[in-house]
């Protein structure tokens, strides 16, 4: 590989919000079940959880919320111990939700992955969720051998810093053995876009419920999902098909290198 290699050589996948709507229907619900399981009256509705998503990492998110509550332990060590216990329980409930098939893959994800495999384009997982959450989701949708699909799998336990830090992308680039300029990442959140861009990787954004209008500065293309070629900005090249294909990704990748500072996407406030 050379730093100036701008051929598309790998596709990197974010997980939460990109592969499935895991935040609203998975992690949030599982946190609420964990609160209930230990007899706490706390519940996060869809809107409050959306606010908390500004904190990366489930345990860190929980600690941030505990710091705002009058009915949480005031002692820091106690608060952190409670957060660790609740986070462990949350991940167990999350696995139950996933195993009960309550979290479908977003439309178009499986098709694009299959196309990558048919055409021999290496893929990586670049997530900062916990290993067990990733494994649960992937096993259900791609069976026990899911890891064989990917040239690198980096999760939140493999990095010292979560997104928006670029470490997860830097590690994946190293493991796959590709230059940043030859990769496209698919993300849904501003933090994810920032992480990829800080690593020098071009990003396309598939809007998820929580970041449907969030500003995503620096994405090469932004659209409603991989299931459609409508509603993308900029649009994919003229061509057939009703979902986003590898040729569309390659087109955006080329555009990115022809114009390395894409205009920021629409800057409306986040809303549901
Ligand atoms: C998303 C996250 C995670 C999940 C919860 O990661 O921020 O923190 O919300 O997972 P990504 P944990 O979009 O990179 O996949 O509770 O395991 O942290
Ligand atoms: Mg995400």
């Amino acid at each position: 590989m050379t730093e100036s290699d701008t051929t598309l050589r790998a596709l990197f996948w974010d997980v939460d919000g990109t592969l499935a709507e895991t935040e609203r229907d998975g992690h949030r619900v599982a946190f609420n079940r964990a609160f209930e399981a230990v007899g706490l009256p706390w519940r996060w509705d869809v809107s409050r959880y959306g606010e908390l998503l500004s904190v990366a990492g489930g345990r860190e998110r929980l600690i941030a919320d505990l710091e705002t509550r009058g009915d949480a332990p005031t002692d820091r060590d106690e608060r952190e111990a409670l957060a660790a216990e609740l986070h462990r329980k949350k991940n167990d409930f999350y696995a139950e939700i996933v195993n009960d098939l309550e979290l479908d893959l977003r439309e178009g994800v499986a098709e694009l992955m299959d196309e990558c495999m048919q055409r021999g384009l290496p893929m990586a997982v670049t997530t900062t969720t916990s290993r067990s959450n990733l494994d649960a989701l992937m096993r259900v949708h791609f069976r026990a051998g899911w890891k064989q699909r990917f040239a690198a799998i980096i999760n939140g336990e493999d990095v010292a810093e979560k997104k928006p830090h670029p470490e997860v992308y830097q590690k994946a680039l190293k493991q796959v053995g590709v230059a940043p300029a030859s990769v496209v990442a698919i993300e849904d959140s501003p933090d994810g876009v920032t992480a990829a861009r800080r690593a020098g990787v071009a990003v396309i954004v598939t809007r998820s419920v929580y970041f449907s209008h969030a500003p995503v500065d620096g994405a090469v293309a932004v659209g409603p999902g991989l299931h459609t070629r409508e509603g993308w900005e900029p649009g994919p090249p003229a061509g057939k098909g009703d979902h986003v294909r590898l040729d569309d990704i390659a087109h955006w990748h080329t555009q990115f290198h022809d114009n390395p500072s894409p205009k920021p996407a629409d800057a409306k406030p986040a809303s549901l």
Side-chain angles (χ1 to χ4, degrees):
M1 81 175 169
T2 64
E3 289 308 311
S4 56
D5 181 3
T6 57
T7 309
L8 180 61
R9 297 196 188 277
L11 188 64
F12 288 5
W13 293 90
D14 170 50
V15 173
D16 289 301
T18 298
L19 299 190
E21 286 291 358
T22 51
E23 297 291 10
R24 181 191 61 188
D25 305 331
H27 295 293
R28 183 187 69 85
V29 176
F31 269 117
N32 286 336
R33 289 187 193 168
F35 297 148
E36 193 179 358
V38 300
L40 284 165
W42 308 336
R43 300 292 180 269
W44 287 339
D45 63 19
V46 171
S47 158
R48 175 65 182 145
Y49 192 72
E51 291 166 8
L52 289 167
L53 279 178
S54 61
V55 182
R59 198 179 54 82
E60 295 84 345
R61 191 169 297 143
L62 186 52
I63 290 171
D65 186 59
L66 295 192
E67 282 166 359
T68 68
R69 288 184 176 278
D71 56 347
T74 47
D75 177 75
R76 194 182 152 178
D77 289 347
E78 266 180 58
R79 244 184 359 242
E80 298 213 341
L82 176 61
E85 182 196 354
L86 287 167
H87 188 246
R88 263 194 310 277
K89 285 194 194 302
K90 183 280 281 184
N91 285 352
D92 291 345
F93 284 120
Y94 179 84
E96 277 179 30
I97 291 168
V98 168
N99 291 333
D100 288 347
L101 298 174
E102 289 175 49
L103 285 176
D104 290 335
L105 288 182
R106 291 184 64 183
E107 278 181 68
V109 165
E111 288 85 347
L112 186 59
M113 281 192 184
D114 286 348
E115 194 187 348
C116 287
M117 291 193 302
Q118 281 156 17
R119 294 177 64 173
L121 189 82
M123 296 185 285
V125 173
T126 43
T127 177
T128 43
T129 197
S130 308
R131 184 173 289 118
S132 68
N133 298 335
L134 172 66
D135 191 51
L137 188 74
M138 295 304 226
R139 266 171 193 274
V140 162
H141 293 292
F142 302 113
R143 303 176 191 274
W146 70 269
K147 290 184 181 162
Q148 288 157 20
R149 295 180 158 234
F150 300 99
I153 301 166
I154 314 293
N155 66 69
E157 293 170 54
D158 296 323
V159 291
E161 301 278 352
K162 294 186 177 165
K163 297 173 188 176
H165 194 283
E167 187 180 356
V168 59
Y169 278 99
Q170 290 161 342
K171 285 205 156 172
L173 288 165
K174 201 168 173 195
Q175 275 192 27
V176 180
V178 282
S182 56
V183 175
V184 168
I186 308 184
E187 280 279 358
D188 70 305
S189 71
D191 276 355
V193 173
T194 302
R197 295 296 303 117
R198 282 188 188 160
V201 170
V203 195
I204 73 162
V205 169
T206 53
R207 292 290 196 184
S208 59
V209 283
Y210 273 122
F211 301 109
S212 60
H213 293 92
V216 280
D217 295 351
V220 66
V222 181
L226 297 172
H227 62 292
T228 179
R229 299 173 80 243
E230 305 285 324
W232 282 85
E233 183 54 51
K240 287 197 183 130
D242 50 9
H243 59 259
V244 172
R245 290 166 192 279
L246 215 36
D247 287 345
D248 301 320
I249 307 275
H251 167 84
W252 283 317
H253 181 242
T254 303
Q255 277 197 336
F256 176 76
H257 289 290
D258 289 350
N259 171 25
S261 301
K263 274 197 299 213
D266 54 333
K268 292 178 211 150
S271 66
L272 288 175

